[in-house]
Amino acid sequence: MSETSFKPAIPFETWDLDLLVDYVLKFHHRNTRKYGNELLGRLDALAATHPELDRVADHLRNSVADLDVHCQKEENVLFPFIIDLFHASELGREHMPFHCGTIQYPIDAMMADHSDEIERHGRIAVLTNNYTAPADAEPEYGKVLADLRRFRDYLLEHVYVENMIIFPRALKLE
């Protein structure tokens, strides 16, 4: 699944740019960090007795770490500039240029990160038989896989909102 085939239940395209950025920061970034680490702990505990989950845990560990760095770049560099662009536009004012010319390069880098994460979570889906626990598995096994799927689904929404709405609007404003 990709961000272009993802269809959100929320009409994000009707939201203002500053609200979209706030939503990504306060919902997606916060929850990626909180629930990613929590889920990783549960998955590691489960993998201790289910070695077939070792590679899944490795993928999630790398995902959580890479997403944290990704979120930091957005929070510290890209999103503050996008908010400045939005406010300047709302006030009918000129904005200062981005420190390295245009935001196209950081947007391209963020979109490459998104593609990498979607691919990684595709590998997790394959390794878990599309998040299906073995018939004889204990309940926690099924719960962890369901939460992994939910984590992936939120990641897809996160990527959709950024790639399909925030980034194109920011580039247009620039």
Side-chain angles (χ1 to χ4, degrees):
M1 180 175 275
S2 71
E3 75 276 2
T4 56
S5 63
F6 178 79
K7 298 298 177 215
I10 300 170
F12 292 113
E13 66 280 348
T14 66
W15 292 17
D16 285 337
L17 190 56
D18 62 336
L19 181 58
L20 289 164
V21 169
D22 270 354
Y23 176 73
V24 167
L25 291 171
K26 292 178 179 154
F27 182 77
H28 286 292
H29 287 198
R30 184 181 296 166
N31 288 330
T32 294
R33 288 177 173 126
K34 179 181 179 182
Y35 296 115
N37 284 314
E38 179 184 296
L39 181 56
L40 179 58
R42 291 172 54 214
L43 183 57
D44 278 339
L46 199 57
T49 56
H50 295 278
E52 72 276 11
L53 294 174
D54 284 341
R55 287 182 48 208
V56 175
D58 287 341
H59 282 308
L60 184 61
R61 183 174 299 101
N62 292 331
S63 180
V64 168
D66 289 349
L67 283 168
D68 184 53
V69 171
H70 173 89
C71 291
Q72 287 177 42
K73 289 186 269 185
E74 288 180 343
E75 293 160 3
N76 295 321
V77 178
L78 186 57
F79 284 172
F81 187 76
I82 289 174
I83 292 297
D84 288 347
L85 280 174
F86 173 77
H87 287 145
S89 174
E90 289 292 297
L91 297 171
R93 295 187 180 156
E94 290 292 316
H95 60 84
M96 295 295 293
F98 193 61
H99 67 274
C100 60
T102 177
I103 57 172
Q104 186 67 60
Y105 172 75
I107 285 175
D108 289 346
M110 296 300 99
M111 291 176 75
D113 289 352
H114 293 163
S115 293
D116 291 346
E117 287 306 314
I118 289 170
E119 286 177 26
R120 185 182 340 242
H121 284 270
R123 289 190 296 276
I124 290 172
V126 168
L127 289 169
T128 60
N129 192 27
N130 201 29
Y131 307 97
T132 304
D136 60 344
E138 65 265 32
E140 177 63 2
Y141 198 121
K143 289 177 188 172
V144 164
L145 293 185
D147 289 344
L148 257 174
R149 179 192 296 267
R150 187 174 303 109
F151 188 86
R152 190 268 329 255
D153 290 347
Y154 283 132
L155 174 66
L156 289 172
E157 181 182 274
H158 175 170
V159 168
Y160 174 87
V161 169
E162 289 184 5
N163 286 11
M164 306 305 289
I165 304 172
I166 292 175
F167 296 161
R169 284 192 194 170
L171 287 165
K172 186 175 179 182
L173 284 178
E174 188 182 42

